[in-house]
Amino acid sequence: MKKPMPALAALMLCTTVASAQYHKYDSWDQNYTAAGLLGAVQYDDLKFDAPASGGAEQIDVSLLPQLGGAWTTSPQPDQRFQYGLECSFLLGFRFDKLNYAYLGGGGAYISISTSMWMFDLAGGGYASFFLDQDRRFRVYAGSGPLMLYANYRSEQTYDDGTPTEDLNESVFGIGWYARTGIEFRVHEKGMLGLGTRASWARADFSEINGSSEVDGLAVFASYTAGF
């Protein structure tokens, strides 16, 4: 009589695969998630007057690539509707170079190299809802206060022999954010999705002739993993 071990092993393998395929997304050992975010933010009119241009030229840093992450709690692991707390951070950056005629320099030109770094830390309430019984698709939303740090630097080089000038300013601000998005499950403990995030903050860029309102709308791709 042949031993049924090969058939039994095959049956156990098929059962394991089927179980993983239909595993509920929110059945995780720990009730929290971590997400990676990659996208860009468009700020409302975030511009600075170029030095020595008399306001005729402006440096526009309104569009910034962003990357960051988010951490959320999910204290209701067996429910399609979940709510809890979240914390997120986003880092935006941009490098530019501008050339223009130097007013008062006898037709000379000025070259400006600039960099902008924007970092915000935010946290607040959070809720999500699975759209189907198998918990493969979900929508989520979150909102709360944020803290903002920005650093702007520029280096002016003149071609008429005028000494090179450097300008640097760091500012802090506070504000509010709201975000939402949709995700779909790609494996047992991971989801891919798209989201958007609006933010409103005040940061004083007056020393470099900039705006004090830092309002923006970000769009990003996300990968969320459960632990």
Side-chain angles (χ1 to χ4, degrees):
M1 180 177 179
K2 294 183 179 180
K3 296 182 179 181
M5 292 300 296
L8 180 60
L11 179 60
M12 293 179 62
L13 178 61
C14 292
T15 302
T16 302
V17 172
S19 176
Q21 182 179 0
Y22 295 104
H23 186 86
K24 291 182 178 180
Y25 167 69
D26 56 350
S27 297
W28 292 334
D29 296 333
Q30 303 295 328
N31 299 329
Y32 63 88
T33 68
L37 311 174
L38 179 63
V41 58
Q42 177 70 54
Y43 289 107
D44 295 338
D45 198 33
L46 187 57
K47 299 177 181 179
F48 304 101
D49 291 342
S53 71
E57 299 287 345
Q58 287 190 314
I59 300 169
D60 189 349
V61 292
S62 300
L63 180 63
L64 297 178
Q66 281 188 320
L67 56 87
W71 178 87
T72 67
T73 64
S74 300
Q76 301 83 31
D78 297 325
Q79 304 296 323
R80 288 174 62 186
F81 175 72
Q82 300 178 0
Y83 62 90
L85 299 175
E86 72 171 4
C87 180
S88 64
F89 71 91
L90 283 169
L91 174 65
F93 51 90
R94 179 166 176 165
F95 305 93
D96 284 301
K97 191 169 185 179
L98 176 66
N99 299 296
Y100 61 90
Y102 170 34
L103 299 181
Y109 279 80
I110 179 174
S111 176
I112 301 181
S113 298
T114 64
S115 66
M116 167 64 84
W117 295 89
M118 189 89 70
F119 177 82
D120 73 62
L121 181 66
Y126 167 85
S128 71
F129 178 71
F130 287 95
L131 301 176
D132 59 324
Q133 291 288 345
D134 292 330
R135 294 172 171 82
R136 291 184 178 134
F137 297 89
R138 72 164 185 160
V139 293
Y140 65 87
S143 183
L146 68 82
M147 295 184 296
L148 174 73
Y149 168 78
N151 177 265
Y152 176 81
R153 180 185 296 272
S154 67
E155 180 181 279
Q156 294 81 244
T157 304
Y158 301 84
D159 69 352
D160 63 352
T162 302
T164 298
E165 297 179 6
D166 292 328
L167 181 64
N168 182 33
E169 184 176 11
S170 296
V171 301
F172 291 90
I174 58 174
W176 198 266
Y177 82 95
R179 74 182 187 115
T180 186
I182 185 169
E183 293 182 323
F184 64 95
R185 183 155 60 93
V186 292
H187 59 83
E188 180 181 336
K189 295 187 178 182
M191 301 193 90
L192 288 176
L194 293 174
T196 183
R197 179 180 188 262
S199 59
W200 305 268
R202 292 187 62 85
D204 186 10
F205 287 103
S206 58
E207 291 186 10
I208 51 177
N209 300 318
S211 171
S212 61
E213 300 291 336
V214 186
D215 302 337
L217 181 65
V219 177
F220 53 85
S222 64
Y223 174 77
T224 301
F227 294 91

